Amino acid sequence: MSITERRILLHGIDREDSAAIDTYLADGGYRALEKALKEMQPSEVVAEVAKARIRGRGGAGFEAGRKWGFLPKQNEKPVYLTCNGDESEPGTFKDRHIMERRPHLLLEGCLITCYAIGARTGYIYVRGEFPHAQAALEKAIEEARERGYLGGDILGTGVSIDLFVHTGAGAYVCGEETGMLSSIEGNRGNPRLKPPFPAVEGLFRCPTIVNNVETLSNVPFVIREGAEEFLKLGTEDTPGTRIFCVSGHVERPGAYEFECGVNLKDVIEYAGGVWKGRKLKAVIPGGLSAHVLLPDEIDVACDFGSLARAGTIMGSCGVMVLDETVCMVRALQNALEFFSHESCGQCTPCREGTDWARKVVTRIEAGKGTEADVDKLYEIADNYEGMGGKTICALADAAAWPVKSYVTKFREEFLMHVRQGRCPLGG
Amino acid sequence: MPTLTIDGREITVEPGTTVIRAAEMLGIHIPRYCWHPGLSIAGNCRICQVEVVKPKLRFPCTVSCNLVASDGMEILTDSEAARKARADVMEFLLLNHPLDCPICDQAGECLLQEYSYAVGRDKSRFDEEKVHKSKRVRFSEEIVYDGERCILCTRCVRFMKEVAGEEQLAVVERGDHAEIAVAYGRELTSPYSMNIVDLCPVGALTSADFRFKSRVWFLTNVPSTCTSCARGCSITVGARWEKIQRLTPRENPDVNRWWMCDHGRLNWKYVHAPDRLGKALVKDAGRLAPADTDEAVRRAHQLVNRFVTKRGADGLFGLVSARLTNEEIFLAREYLAGVAGVKNLDVRPRTGEGDDFLITADKNPNSLGASLIGIAPEEGAVGLEGFAEAVKAGRIRGAVFFGEDVDHDPEALAALDSLEFLVVMDYHLTETARKADVVLPGVTWAEKEGTITNVDGWVSRLNRAIRPPGEARPDLSLLGGLLAAARPEEEGLDRPEAVFEALGKAVPAFAGIRYADLYSRSGRVAVKAAAAAD
């Protein structure tokens, strides 16, 4: 079945001037902000967004409106919005498109959200390796300020909101919401123990809402067109569209926006299918941490619920396609090199376990492993997986799911490395 | 107030109480590395996991240090799931640990050893090369860091930030290459820095002073009180071969919580100095010569008695140290004021820098005790300040110094030469003692028993940790000897407990405190004397 893109977030990004404020205004930009500020109470904005059930696009899928509702009712401290643009999950490049090509969409989403949650100040945390996104946002903030959409007394409504760009220094773990808060505060970007959750005690120990770039970029549509219109997109489980970041062994890798519920097989086809006429070996559907899917498992609808039922996650929608030439042991080694290097080192299981797993898989890949090592590899991951209980944040889980799914689904390939004393694919 | 069950036992706790604390109240010890009652919750080591039966969580186990007790909560600390969770953490902790216990100072008091034994597995499954990190890093003159032994619990980092108030340590690098380091551009200079050595649950932070001196299991650990300032921090004296090996703070919620300052911790070398008095000295033909102690005591009393009989007590000056115990000061007053009728009584003040945490500006450990007991010049009498002048004027002609000297004051020191007689009791041969007619060999705080009253009125015990040198005797025994010589008809009074009882009867501030209550290896060891006086 051939599918078509539905560009709401990526509307007009092919235009050279897609980032300019005039382009954005010509397409109806900032009207949602005006509507919210002039016609709606903050609580009405929250209610509308809650009704739209925008599930968190960072990967966890938590509904934005519900999250906003966790802010304490009795509160004398300032409330902050922090927009997570760290986008460091390997295989994910959706937020950067929004930040670089449609920065005003994000700003409008942030401004409406700040108004809704009562925040005077919002921070957009941009991944350190995204200098273009930083520059685009800085420029957009200046433009919006000049036109009166940002800063003091926005559009003469008396509402004042400031947004600031804060850049990371390249740590994966700073994409974890509390790690990001630590980083914005100027501290080492360590995730924090929960509870307290950010909505209660977040940035500078004040109530804070943390939302992903793509999540907040959906807010203007919901306010301008109404939640009903948003709910018409996607599925009951996951309304709206999502930007699919298709990478790896496909003919046309890239960021494509589809309504949620689109079939994963069709997404890969849309990206030109497996390249060079080769056979498909595996698909990682939701960023590097997602459980791998086999070719016969990809006839699945892409929404949070369906992919969870398929034993994986929708995650950040980073779809990585691996063709038949890929050594899955080497792929796992690569993944663990990343995760063990990015572990902040706080929690014992993650700090010690991820690197132990890396060492074991490295040995197997080099043909120096034993069959017992393959089982041990799985057990190590099983012993460090379990956010909430075993670790403070989900990095250990992210490092466990590839191990467990690769070892389970490609067990024979791991054992071949052991038996042949080398990589059977000649890698 | 929530009521929860831990291992089938019910307990009702204050709202906000964490499970690890609630378990402690039930006498259930949950293993911990990063958690310490005096620091913020870090929740990073994960060894304190317990099984949460109710309410159901996403995972069977979670850390008890950050789990707030709720009504109806059901916790299992020793279930199969909880044991596995801890065994897994233990395995992870030891992967890259060098396992160099035979040469590690922490061995014997190491939480890695203890919990490995209690909750770990007996065999390692780790076949890889260990991570290598910094070794023997001098964090400061006093502190040595071993990165490979470190488990990154961050107790030290949190102590510096939260308790010492100086962020001088930080975590650097990431993952299993992370280490603790002196923060960039800073130095570890806090006067409380050595507490991190005690806090370190493993052998990563060691004291340069104590390193390689003794296996800890050979130490005799005696609870006592630091005498380096008027705070009187509760301490443990670790001794071996009749020598102090180290001092460590002892938990006392009323005085020092878990901490002490570096100065107090290291201020014991003088106890073993070569100028210690091991024998009484009596002046013979203008020279001090060794004498029998009992004989010296009798000689001292004879000098005092003759002087008072001949000239009366007005010409006599008594200097009583505020470094002596309450009991010693009490007997000194009994002897000087009670027996001899001396009105010219004083202490020698010692002051220095203090701070708003533990270190007091008053460097005498028992100033409050001395003042409560009444060591101060009476109205119109001669105090230490006017001493030299009074000697010159011929008003003072004899003096008795108990545990004290005037070495700091050249004028007073010179005035001693003009005295008809001088009796000194001290633990070492000071310049002052060299001018005495009789020198009684006393001892230091480490060699005697008694109590001192700190700046806030908490009365804490000294206990004998080592034997005094030679024929030196606890000062209380010497003072008791003087009193016995003066009042041969009365029953002798030189046991600390009996003297403390007598003190309670004579000085209201001390009434109601039972000496026996003060000796304790844990918990509250001090009773507020000031409050009793109110």
Side-chain angles (χ1 to χ4, degrees):
Chain A
M1 196 181 98
S2 81
I3 50 170
T4 50
E5 276 196 74
R6 179 68 196 262
R7 289 192 179 179
I8 291 170
L9 304 167
L10 299 182
H11 177 80
I13 60 158
D14 296 333
R15 290 179 54 171
E16 207 171 306
D17 59 354
S18 69
I21 191 163
D22 288 323
T23 310
Y24 188 63
L25 288 169
D27 282 340
Y30 288 113
R31 279 197 215 137
L33 176 67
E34 194 166 354
K35 180 181 174 187
L37 260 50
K38 292 185 175 166
E39 298 167 26
M40 297 170 82
Q41 291 299 313
S43 60
E44 291 172 311
V45 178
V46 174
E48 197 65 19
V49 170
K51 196 172 156 198
R53 295 193 293 110
I54 308 172
R55 298 187 63 170
R57 267 45 171 171
F62 196 83
E63 285 177 24
R66 274 186 67 200
K67 195 188 260 184
W68 299 358
F70 292 154
L71 286 171
K73 304 289 171 263
Q74 303 290 319
N75 171 47
E76 294 188 349
K77 293 180 177 176
V79 174
Y80 292 103
L81 172 70
T82 52
C83 169
N84 191 341
D86 193 56
E87 189 157 72
S88 36
E89 180 71 24
T92 313
F93 41 88
K94 58 188 184 64
D95 297 341
R96 101 179 248 195
H97 281 290
I98 296 173
M99 292 188 286
E100 289 178 7
R101 308 294 299 161
R102 301 205 74 202
H104 285 288
L105 175 68
L106 175 59
L107 295 190
E108 188 177 10
C110 289
L111 291 163
I112 296 168
T113 305
C114 282
Y115 173 68
I117 64 175
R120 171 72 177 75
T121 307
Y123 293 92
I124 303 172
Y125 187 87
V126 184
R127 174 176 170 153
E129 297 93 327
F130 283 175
H132 299 303
Q134 293 160 21
L137 284 168
E138 296 280 14
K139 182 161 181 265
I141 286 174
E142 273 325 296
E143 287 175 338
R145 193 186 303 280
E146 279 167 20
R147 306 287 181 98
Y149 295 113
L150 184 152
D153 190 20
I154 296 171
L155 301 171
T157 58
V159 177
S160 300
I161 299 164
D162 268 308
L163 296 177
F164 299 96
V165 172
H166 190 103
T167 59
Y172 173 66
V173 79
C174 289
E176 196 277 344
E177 59 176 1
T178 56
M180 182 185 76
L181 297 179
S182 301
S183 178
I184 296 176
E185 289 175 1
N187 295 318
R188 185 182 160 89
N190 279 1
R192 301 178 189 167
L193 209 52
K194 296 172 212 173
F197 289 90
V200 176
E201 193 180 305
L203 191 65
F204 306 119
R205 307 195 70 169
C206 296
T208 302
I209 291 297
V210 183
N211 283 133
N212 169 260
V213 167
E214 190 186 352
T215 310
L216 290 171
S217 298
N218 275 303
V219 171
F221 179 92
V222 170
I223 296 304
R224 197 176 61 234
E225 310 290 334
E228 291 296 343
E229 285 303 307
F230 187 79
L231 288 166
K232 285 179 190 165
L233 301 165
T235 62
E236 167 72 20
D237 176 88
T238 313
T241 62
R242 280 204 77 174
I243 302 170
F244 288 75
C245 318
V246 188
S247 68
H249 301 154
V250 289
E251 292 289 355
R252 286 191 305 276
Y256 304 102
E257 184 176 358
F258 299 109
E259 285 188 43
C260 295
V262 64
N263 191 292
L264 180 57
K265 212 170 180 169
D266 294 334
V267 172
I268 295 167
E269 277 313 307
Y270 193 88
V274 181
W275 70 350
K276 299 177 183 176
R278 289 183 191 159
K279 271 169 52 186
L280 179 67
K281 184 164 189 175
V283 177
I284 302 161
L288 185 61
S289 43
H291 311 257
V292 71
L293 294 176
L294 294 171
D296 61 3
E297 293 175 318
I298 63 166
D299 187 6
V300 57
C302 288
D303 61 22
F304 281 104
S306 304
L307 282 161
R309 281 189 295 279
T312 184
I313 55 166
M314 188 181 203
S316 61
C317 248
V319 179
M320 286 186 273
V321 178
L322 311 184
D323 75 17
E324 57 188 327
T325 65
V326 173
C327 167
M328 293 309 287
V329 181
R330 174 72 188 102
L332 182 59
Q333 184 194 351
N334 185 296
L336 284 173
E337 273 169 7
F338 175 78
F339 289 120
S340 64
H341 180 70
E342 295 296 339
S343 166
C344 80
Q346 275 189 100
C347 304
T348 306
C350 177
R351 177 183 70 235
E352 305 292 337
T354 53
D355 200 37
W356 184 15
R358 179 193 65 80
K359 285 172 176 170
V360 173
V361 76
T362 301
R363 217 154 32 75
I364 296 172
E365 206 278 330
K368 291 174 183 155
T370 63
E371 292 198 11
D373 281 330
V374 179
D375 294 326
K376 184 158 78 181
L377 186 56
Y378 185 96
E379 281 168 31
I380 293 167
D382 194 47
N383 286 352
Y384 66 67
E385 176 196 358
M387 182 203 163
K390 291 174 190 167
T391 53
I392 289 172
C393 84
L395 197 149
D397 289 7
W401 297 334
V403 177
K404 293 173 81 170
S405 61
Y406 295 14
V407 169
T408 307
K409 293 182 179 178
F410 294 93
R411 186 176 170 82
E412 198 50 37
E413 193 169 325
F414 281 79
L415 292 175
M416 292 275 273
H417 280 75
V418 170
R419 289 181 197 135
Q420 297 188 11
R422 63 184 180 85
C423 177
L425 284 96
Chain B
M1 297 217 301
T3 300
L4 70 160
T5 348
I6 303 176
D7 295 344
R9 293 162 65 192
E10 224 175 67
I11 182 167
T12 303
V13 294
E14 292 288 330
T17 306
T18 52
V19 169
I20 200 169
R21 286 182 186 270
E24 204 114 299
M25 293 169 198
L26 285 169
I28 299 168
H29 179 90
I30 297 173
R32 75 286 304 264
Y33 290 110
C34 67
W35 186 77
H36 186 280
L39 302 174
S40 66
I41 299 168
N44 59 36
C45 77
R46 316 307 282 188
I47 196 79
C48 72
Q49 288 180 75
V50 293
E51 185 177 348
V52 186
V53 182
K54 253 193 220 166
K56 265 277 165 275
L57 305 178
R58 284 196 301 140
F59 292 94
C61 297
T62 195
V63 286
S64 54
C65 65
N66 196 43
L67 183 64
V68 174
S70 61
D71 210 36
M73 186 178 257
E74 270 179 54
I75 300 294
L76 294 175
T77 71
D78 201 34
S79 65
E80 203 179 313
R83 282 205 302 269
K84 178 178 186 309
R86 281 186 221 137
D88 289 345
V89 170
M90 209 57 235
E91 179 178 46
F92 284 134
L93 281 172
L94 293 180
L95 294 182
N96 288 303
H97 187 82
L99 301 172
D100 58 345
C101 309
I103 56 155
C104 178
D105 272 298
Q106 192 80 6
E109 53 184 12
C110 174
L111 293 188
L112 274 179
Q113 287 182 327
E114 286 179 31
Y115 298 148
S116 176
Y117 201 77
V119 306
R121 304 192 184 99
D122 57 357
K123 209 163 170 283
S124 173
R125 297 189 293 161
F126 187 73
D127 302 321
E128 324 301 326
E129 170 83 19
K130 289 182 190 250
V131 176
H132 294 290
K133 298 195 202 174
S134 314
K135 307 283 279 182
R136 296 176 296 278
V137 185
R138 278 270 171 172
F139 273 8
S140 69
E141 273 297 293
E142 313 300 347
I143 296 165
V144 186
Y145 174 70
D146 184 314
E148 293 185 351
R149 291 177 187 161
C150 179
I151 58 165
L152 291 156
C153 69
T154 69
R155 278 187 184 187
C156 54
V157 177
R158 283 175 285 143
F159 172 83
M160 292 309 299
K161 181 179 178 183
E162 298 162 12
V163 183
E166 303 186 72
E167 288 185 72
Q168 295 169 343
L169 293 179
V171 179
V172 296
E173 296 298 328
R174 263 191 335 224
D176 60 8
H177 285 71
E179 291 182 31
I180 306 295
V182 176
Y184 182 75
R186 300 195 187 169
E187 284 176 73
L188 183 56
T189 53
S190 163
Y192 297 95
S193 67
M194 291 186 79
N195 287 294
I196 65 175
V197 173
D198 316 319
L199 275 173
C200 183
V202 302
L205 292 168
T206 48
S207 152
D209 188 57
F210 179 65
R211 232 164 114 82
F212 306 132
K213 265 196 179 165
S214 171
R215 307 305 325 211
V216 297
W217 54 84
F218 290 130
L219 297 180
T220 305
N221 291 312
V222 178
S224 191
T225 302
C226 178
T227 58
S228 288
C229 84
R231 179 68 55 198
C233 293
S234 292
I235 57 169
T236 300
V237 184
R240 189 182 177 191
W241 302 300
E242 298 301 333
K243 275 204 152 128
I244 296 172
Q245 303 297 324
R246 68 172 182 187
L247 305 182
T248 46
R250 188 162 50 90
E251 183 182 343
N252 183 335
D254 300 316
V255 176
N256 54 308
R257 303 189 76 204
W258 300 269
W259 329 118
M260 74 184 296
C261 74
D262 295 356
H263 172 73
R265 181 189 300 258
L266 296 173
N267 187 24
W268 53 265
K269 307 290 160 75
Y270 67 89
V271 171
H272 304 295
D275 70 340
R276 286 294 305 272
L277 279 166
K279 214 156 170 51
L281 301 170
V282 174
K283 196 162 270 177
D284 186 19
R287 287 191 56 183
L288 281 172
D292 173 73
T293 309
D294 291 326
E295 185 53 43
V297 169
R298 274 194 294 277
R299 176 78 186 133
H301 176 63
Q302 205 174 44
L303 289 171
V304 172
N305 195 35
R306 273 192 201 152
F307 182 91
V308 174
T309 312
K310 201 160 86 188
R311 301 189 179 276
D314 286 349
L316 195 53
F317 177 75
L319 189 62
V320 179
S321 181
R323 297 189 293 193
L324 295 177
T325 65
N326 291 316
E327 299 73 31
E328 289 158 356
I329 293 170
F330 177 63
L331 285 201
R333 193 197 69 167
E334 280 294 286
Y335 181 72
L336 291 173
V339 174
V342 179
K343 293 185 180 65
N344 310 312
L345 277 180
D346 210 351
V347 295
R348 173 182 155 188
R350 278 184 183 76
T351 51
E353 273 192 41
D355 62 20
D356 55 5
F357 184 30
L358 293 178
I359 302 169
T360 64
D362 183 357
K363 300 304 173 192
N364 278 326
N366 199 15
S367 294
L368 185 57
S371 115
L372 288 170
I373 294 163
I375 305 298
E378 281 183 22
E379 188 70 37
V382 176
L384 180 60
E385 216 169 300
F387 171 70
E389 204 57 42
V391 174
K392 259 187 235 163
R395 192 175 156 197
I396 295 294
R397 295 180 167 207
V400 179
F401 289 3
F402 285 139
E404 200 52 279
D405 63 76
V406 290
D407 288 9
H408 65 296
D409 180 354
E411 244 182 282
L413 203 55
L416 299 178
D417 295 329
S418 322
L419 292 174
E420 284 177 25
F421 89 98
L422 172 64
V423 168
V424 170
M425 175 179 82
D426 213 327
Y427 63 86
H428 66 152
L429 195 60
T430 60
E431 286 307 308
T432 303
R434 285 177 200 279
K435 296 175 188 284
D437 296 281
V438 177
V439 182
L440 302 176
V443 301
T444 68
W445 57 272
E447 294 139 338
K448 66 189 175 189
E449 184 186 320
T451 66
I452 55 175
T453 311
N454 91 337
V455 65
D456 292 320
W458 293 102
V459 178
S460 304
R461 273 280 291 273
L462 298 177
N463 286 296
R464 192 176 117 153
I466 52 172
R467 265 202 301 269
E471 291 166 26
R473 277 186 206 175
D475 309 53
L476 198 66
S477 156
L478 298 169
L479 291 161
L482 288 171
L483 271 175
R487 300 165 173 167
E489 69 286 356
E490 283 182 27
E491 201 179 328
L493 196 60
D494 63 0
R495 279 188 316 109
E497 183 163 5
V499 179
F500 189 81
E501 207 176 297
L503 168 64
K505 282 177 190 149
V507 182
F510 292 89
I513 306 174
R514 279 185 54 221
Y515 188 78
D517 291 343
L518 299 174
Y519 184 94
S520 176
R521 280 181 181 271
S522 62
R524 186 169 169 172
V525 293
V527 177
K528 193 134 189 172
D534 288 341

